[in-house]
Amino acid sequence: MVRTTWNPLGELDALRREVERAFEDFGATGALWNRPFSRVAFLPQLPGRGYPLLNLNEDADNLYVDVLAPGLDPESIDVSVVRDVLRISGEKAAINAGIKPEAYHRTERGAGRFSRTITLPAQIESEKVTAAYENGVMRLTLPKHEQAKPKQISVSVN
């Protein structure tokens, strides 16, 4: 007689693999999103996908956001922070705006309005946020709120 036991974690893992396979066909890791233009933010009638691209990292006191923004006028970028939500928006001007659309053989560089909102991993002091723009990269320094900073707790031995 063969005795089998129910393994709920094994069944959950099998379900996870099935869902991942489904998303490989139609989702963020699948062929649809691996197309060259899938990350372009300014496709007609489609929302911007992850534009502008950014990196987010932190140390004990600050969060740092490096925003890839080549060709953007720093004056056209709006940055706002409310508690733990960062919003970056603006407008990318068209290059060679005087050229008629029918004269283009290929146009891959988008232009237009964009907006990106991300949830930060900690609350920050919004009045102390600084931004610097250099060589097409905007660097945001977001000081963490005192309650979000790690605290060293000493352990006493009795």
Side-chain angles (χ1 to χ4, degrees), residues 26-71:
F26 300 105
T29 60
L32 175 66
W33 299 109
N34 289 331
R35 293 182 186 152
F37 300 109
S38 65
R39 295 197 66 132
V40 175
F42 306 107
L43 292 174
Q45 300 175 349
L46 291 177
R49 293 191 187 105
Y51 186 86
L53 301 176
L54 57 86
N55 289 342
L56 170 64
N57 58 66
E58 69 178 307
D59 60 21
D61 297 321
N62 299 301
L63 295 172
Y64 301 98
V65 179
D66 293 321
V67 181
L68 188 60

Side-chain angles (χ1 to χ4, degrees), residues 23 25 32 49 84 100 103 132-133 145:
F23 279 103
D25 293 335
L32 175 66
R49 293 191 187 105
D84 64 345
K100 296 178 183 177
Y133 186 88
H145 193 278

Side-chain angles (χ1 to χ4, degrees), residues 34-155:
N34 289 331
R35 293 182 186 152
F37 300 109
S38 65
R39 295 197 66 132
V40 175
F42 306 107
L43 292 174
Q45 300 175 349
L46 291 177
R49 293 191 187 105
Y51 186 86
L53 301 176
L54 57 86
N55 289 342
L56 170 64
N57 58 66
E58 69 178 307
D59 60 21
D61 297 321
N62 299 301
L63 295 172
Y64 301 98
V65 179
D66 293 321
V67 181
L68 188 60
L72 291 179
D73 177 10
E75 298 296 320
S76 73
I77 303 171
D78 295 320
V79 177
S80 63
V81 179
V82 177
R83 280 178 277 207
D84 64 345
V85 176
L86 170 66
R87 183 173 182 265
I88 302 168
S89 62
E91 186 165 1
K92 186 173 183 181
I95 297 176
N96 299 331
I99 298 175
K100 296 178 183 177
E102 60 271 8
Y104 279 101
H105 291 280
R106 180 181 296 256
T107 178
E108 297 178 0
R109 297 175 65 189
R113 296 204 51 77
F114 63 88
S115 179
R116 180 141 188 216
T117 303
I118 63 167
T119 302
L120 300 169
Q123 287 191 13
I124 57 130
E125 301 276 351
S126 57
E127 64 278 352
K128 296 180 182 176
V129 172
T130 60
Y133 186 88
E134 183 178 350
N135 296 329
V137 177
M138 180 174 62
R139 172 86 175 203
L140 301 172
T141 303
L142 306 123
K144 291 181 183 177
H145 193 278
E146 281 301 316
Q147 294 175 345
K149 292 181 183 177
K151 305 284 189 258
Q152 182 65 35
I153 300 170
S154 61
V155 178

